[in-house]
Amino acid sequence: QKQQMSNSSSMNEFLLPAFTDMWELQLLHFWLFLGIYLAALMGNGLIITAIACDQRLHTPMYFFLLNLSHLDLGAISTILPKAMANSLWDTRAISYLGCAAQVFFFLFLIGGEFCLLTVMAYNRFVAICKPLHYRTLLGSRACVHMAAAAWGSGFLNAVLPTANTFSLPICQGNAVDQFFCEIPQILKLSCSDAYLREAGLVTFSAFLFLGCFVFIVLSYVQIFRVVLKISSEQGWHKAFSMGLPHLAMVSLFISTFMFALLKPPFISSASLDQVVALLYTVVPPALNPLIYSMRNKETKEALRKLF
């Protein structure tokens, strides 16, 4: 009975590891995370405000950017505030429900973000490769449907894996080897046969992200083929300066996320897992505003008017 009580009490919460045992370094992590978080809030907040206030930015591209900024803000807010609080107050605990909410919202928002990046690649493909059909293919109703499909896909990407993961019995304690709750780490705490059952749902996420990635790459291949036929050097420069950073960002995200999902257990180490997780949880929401809009002349003009 005593064993049963200890098991049930341990499942009221999970324990997240500290980045380091030294208080000074934990404080340094807090300030670093705070700087990244404020940069993401400011960058995405400015984009949302500029697009909402400037009539000239009410176009399909900026409509998708507006959605991307909302998803970025949500994704980084799901992870960083809790990590900052743990570093500042030197605590490790996260409640069972808090952990489930973190897994659900992160998978929902990051899945929606990646689907939206796919839609944005399609938007750019139509604008450059099929300019005469742009208004037909990307009317206001079509844009709303595409954005809704991206959010809906994110929801589907989150709801089944989260529900299944948190319905599994936990047999291996409650210490998660990551600075936030994520499915692969929680599966390590579940019973071994349940781990195999859950692998199918992780594979669903992997296929969703891989499918989106292939579509994005093919879109940019078509774009670059069309652009290279144009004799204008300015056209080349514009297409490559916009396309290559997008592809680099998408590649960073997909490679680190797929590595976290599908890596074999024998190459797992706590510090490697944490570095990889930082690359797909914190870096994209902080850098997306810079890559997707701060380099645009129209956005800069809208922000100048705003101030």
Side-chain angles (χ1 to χ4, degrees):
Q1 191 184 6
K2 193 174 181 184
Q3 178 66 37
Q4 198 177 354
M5 277 181 65
S6 72
N7 269 351
S8 64
S9 67
S10 72
M11 278 307 97
N12 291 332
E13 63 182 27
F14 288 97
L15 298 176
L16 305 173
F19 278 95
T20 172
D21 294 330
M22 284 179 64
W23 164 241
E24 291 83 359
L25 286 175
Q26 276 185 231
L27 208 56
L28 183 66
H29 280 123
F30 167 77
W31 287 111
L32 182 67
F33 279 169
L34 182 64
I36 293 168
Y37 189 51
L38 290 177
L41 286 182
M42 191 174 81
N44 288 294
L46 282 173
I47 288 167
I48 290 166
T49 312
I51 293 171
C53 294
D54 196 320
Q55 197 71 35
R56 289 173 306 165
L57 300 186
H58 293 182
T59 63
M61 185 180 112
Y62 289 104
F63 171 71
F64 296 135
L65 259 178
L66 185 73
N67 279 271
L68 184 71
S69 289
H70 279 105
L71 287 162
D72 276 337
L73 281 177
I76 202 165
S77 298
T78 303
I79 303 293
L80 277 195
K82 180 61 183 168
M84 287 191 293
N86 283 6
S87 293
L88 187 61
W89 288 305
D90 197 20
T91 59
R92 296 184 62 199
I94 182 170
S95 70
Y96 186 84
L97 281 176
C99 190
Q102 199 173 58
V103 166
F104 172 77
F105 282 110
F106 182 70
L107 282 178
F108 168 36
L109 294 160
I110 217 74
E113 178 170 329
F114 210 71
C115 290
L116 198 67
L117 290 176
T118 310
V119 170
M120 288 169 74
Y122 173 71
N123 170 62
R124 193 158 276 131
F125 163 75
V126 175
I128 292 172
C129 302
K130 298 182 182 294
L132 298 177
H133 300 283
Y134 188 79
R135 286 184 183 278
T136 318
L137 293 172
L138 284 149
S140 55
R141 185 174 290 184
C143 290
V144 170
H145 287 167
M146 287 177 195
W151 286 83
S153 301
F155 182 79
L156 288 177
N157 178 55
V159 70
L160 283 174
T162 307
N164 274 272
T165 301
F166 287 90
S167 65
L168 296 176
I170 302 290
C171 320
Q172 316 282 338
N174 65 339
V176 179
D177 284 338
Q178 189 54 279
F179 69 96
F180 67 101
C181 288
E182 66 170 359
I183 286 178
Q185 302 299 338
I186 292 162
L187 289 182
K188 288 181 186 175
L189 308 177
S190 70
C191 308
S192 54
D193 62 331
Y195 186 98
L196 292 171
R197 272 210 323 271
E198 186 67 14
L201 286 164
V202 173
T203 309
F204 169 77
S205 286
F207 274 116
L208 174 74
F209 284 99
L210 209 55
C212 288
F213 180 63
V214 169
F215 185 90
I216 290 169
V217 170
L218 291 175
S219 298
Y220 276 108
V221 166
Q222 290 296 322
I223 288 167
F224 292 150
R225 276 179 61 190
V226 169
V227 167
L228 287 170
K229 288 176 187 171
I230 302 168
S231 56
S232 157
E233 196 176 309
Q234 194 180 1
W236 290 2
H237 177 73
K238 190 177 179 185
F240 283 104
S241 69
M242 287 169 78
L244 293 177
H246 298 184
L247 277 176
M249 203 67 195
V250 167
S251 301
L252 171 75
F253 175 82
I254 194 82
S255 56
T256 51
F257 189 74
M258 297 295 267
F259 179 77
L261 276 183
L262 304 174
K263 70 179 182 302
F266 62 84
I267 57 166
S268 187
S269 77
S271 53
L272 175 69
D273 288 347
Q274 287 183 348
V275 169
V276 168
L278 278 170
L279 289 176
Y280 68 80
T281 56
V282 173
V283 174
L287 289 187
N288 275 347
L290 210 60
I291 287 175
Y292 286 94
S293 53
M294 293 304 186
R295 297 158 79 245
N296 285 1
K297 194 186 288 183
E298 295 97 329
T299 319
K300 286 179 184 172
E301 192 58 45
L303 288 171
R304 200 174 291 124
K305 273 180 68 179
L306 197 68
F307 286 116

